[in-house]
Every structure is written in C-alpha cells, then in structure tokens.
C-alpha cells in the first residue's frame, strides 16, 4: 500500500473513532507502517523529566522514552521543544 493511500485510510479510521486511547494506538501503528519503522509511539510530557507513553507498538518505545527522560536528552525531547522533526535509525 502506498503512503498516500495509507494516510487516507488512517484519516477515515480516526474520524470514525472517538476514543482517545484507540486513536493514539492507531496513530502509532500507522506511523510505524508509513515510516517502515520497527517501532513507533506517542510521547506525552508531564514535565521534562516525567514523561508518559500513552500508545506504542512495542514496550521498547516506552523504554526509549524513559531513557530520554532519565538522561534529559534525545530526539523526542528535542522535537517537543521545536528544534526539528527527527527520524532515528537507532
């Protein structure tokens, strides 16, 4: 399936679902597919050192998020601060 078709399908599914948890899980799933990534997830910051992972395709995503909070650095924290959008191969 091409990326444009996948995004269109995702938009239709998300529009039909009003449950925030399900929506975030679907966004994570589609992000993984569109980017051809091993994992994907959503990071929510409470404070810079306290983050949550409300949706992820695997437990590794939450582990990566927690490490970024622990060491106060990483691509998600940088992106949240508006520095850029990141795709990491590691």
């Amino acid at each position: 399936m091409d990326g444009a078709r996948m995004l269109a399908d995702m938009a239709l599914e998300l529009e039909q679902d009003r449950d925030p948890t399900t929506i975030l899980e679907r966004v994570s799933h589609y992000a993984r597919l569109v980017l051809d990534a091993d994992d994907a997830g959503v990071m929510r910051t409470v404070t810079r050192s306290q983050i949550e992972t409300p949706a992820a395709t695997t437990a590794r995503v939450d582990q990566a998020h927690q490490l970024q909070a622990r060491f106060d650095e990483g691509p998600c924290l940088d992106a949240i601060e508006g520095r850029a959008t990141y795709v990491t191969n590691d």
Side-chain angles (χ1 to χ4, degrees):
M1 180 183 300
D2 68 82
R5 180 76 235 163
M6 193 177 301
L7 291 174
D9 289 347
M10 181 183 80
L12 289 172
E13 282 186 35
L14 292 176
E15 197 236 343
Q16 295 173 17
D17 196 341
R18 300 290 182 214
D19 177 54
T21 302
T22 304
I23 289 171
L24 292 176
E25 288 171 357
R26 287 183 178 176
V27 167
S28 297
H29 170 76
Y30 275 109
R32 187 187 65 75
L33 292 175
V34 169
L35 298 171
D36 192 29
D38 293 331
D39 302 304
V42 175
M43 176 189 277
R44 187 181 94 112
T45 57
V46 178
T47 66
R48 186 164 171 100
S49 62
Q50 182 184 358
I51 57 98
E52 298 172 351
T53 305
T57 57
T58 69
R60 291 185 300 193
V61 176
D62 183 54
Q63 293 167 348
H65 289 172
Q66 296 303 324
L67 285 170
Q68 289 182 69
R70 179 177 170 193
F71 292 105
D72 194 30
E73 65 178 305
C76 294
L77 294 176
D78 290 344
I80 288 170
E81 290 180 348
R83 294 185 189 160
T85 300
Y86 295 89
V87 176
T88 180
N89 295 320
D90 186 11

